[in-house]
Amino acid sequence: MRYWLMKSEPEEFSIDALAKKKKEPWNGVRNYQARNFMRDDMKVGDGVLFYHSNCEVPGVVGLAEIVSDAYPDPTQFDPKSDYYDAGSKREEPRWLLVEVGYKRTLKRTITLAELKEKPELEDFALVRKGNRLSVMPVSKNEWDLIISLE
DNA sequence: GCCAACGTTGGC
DNA sequence: GCCAACGTTGGC
């Protein structure tokens, strides 16, 4: 079993929204590295740290899990969608998604500022300068440490 | 295939 | 709202 961190802007889709909907197709990922993680490495049952980005207090706010294998992201074919990609063909979809299932909301936000202070997390992709991945791997050690901060 | 211009992400 | 970082695009 692997672990992941997935970013979402709370104004777009928050942990509360996921709690309400129970699960959500993670559409709109348009970054090849993130897509490759979803396509090649994510398995049903993998753990997910749900992260709020681009907001007042960025940080890990909940736990989720992968509940589907990767499949083509339908928004890439929808001209009305923000995520439309005219260059992607149905016979050969460029973008994939996985479905993310709600597990629980943390009692408090484990903030980015806190994570940055932990020497053990020095190499964690999230806190490395300039990182813009919206989906990234988390090691077992990193997962355990982050969870323990709750 | 290089690289400048441009767009996006996301913390602050 | 600013801006650093970085991915993508497109002219050459």
Side-chain angles (χ1 to χ4, degrees), chain A residues 107-127:
Chain A
K107 297 195 252 321
R108 66 181 194 87
T109 300
I110 299 169
T111 67
L112 176 63
E114 274 178 82
L115 299 179
K116 280 182 170 168
E117 283 173 8
K118 297 283 167 198
E120 302 92 321
L121 296 178
E122 226 173 34
D123 295 327
F124 185 33
L126 181 74
V127 304

Side-chain angles (χ1 to χ4, degrees), chain A residues 15-130:
Chain A
I15 188 69
D16 292 342
L18 183 64
K20 228 173 262 176
K21 293 189 67 178
K22 304 299 179 200
K23 67 171 187 174
E24 179 74 3
W26 209 258
N27 58 36
V29 173
R30 297 292 180 270
N31 171 282
Y32 287 104
Q33 222 183 323
R35 180 207 62 187
N36 293 348
F37 285 136
M38 295 197 290
R39 183 188 63 192
D40 304 329
D41 302 316
M42 281 190 179
K43 297 280 178 289
V44 171
D46 282 0
V48 174
L49 298 171
F50 195 104
Y51 179 90
H52 278 175
S53 68
N54 215 353
C55 58
E56 202 171 338
V57 186
V60 177
V61 294
L63 303 184
E65 65 179 334
I66 304 301
V67 296
S68 84
D69 291 326
Y71 62 88
D73 179 346
T75 64
Q76 71 195 301
F77 306 122
D78 177 3
K80 293 192 292 295
S81 168
D82 287 345
Y83 303 126
Y84 180 59
D85 181 351
S88 181
K89 307 252 183 312
R90 280 183 188 278
E91 315 83 72
E92 207 180 334
R94 185 177 290 170
W95 305 111
L96 301 176
L97 59 72
V98 295
E99 292 177 7
V100 174
Y102 179 75
K103 294 278 273 190
R104 68 182 181 87
T105 301
L106 299 185
K107 297 195 252 321
R108 66 181 194 87
T109 300
I110 299 169
T111 67
L112 176 63
E114 274 178 82
L115 299 179
K116 280 182 170 168
E117 283 173 8
K118 297 283 167 198
E120 302 92 321
L121 296 178
E122 226 173 34
D123 295 327
F124 185 33
L126 181 74
V127 304
R128 279 209 310 262
K129 200 161 126 178

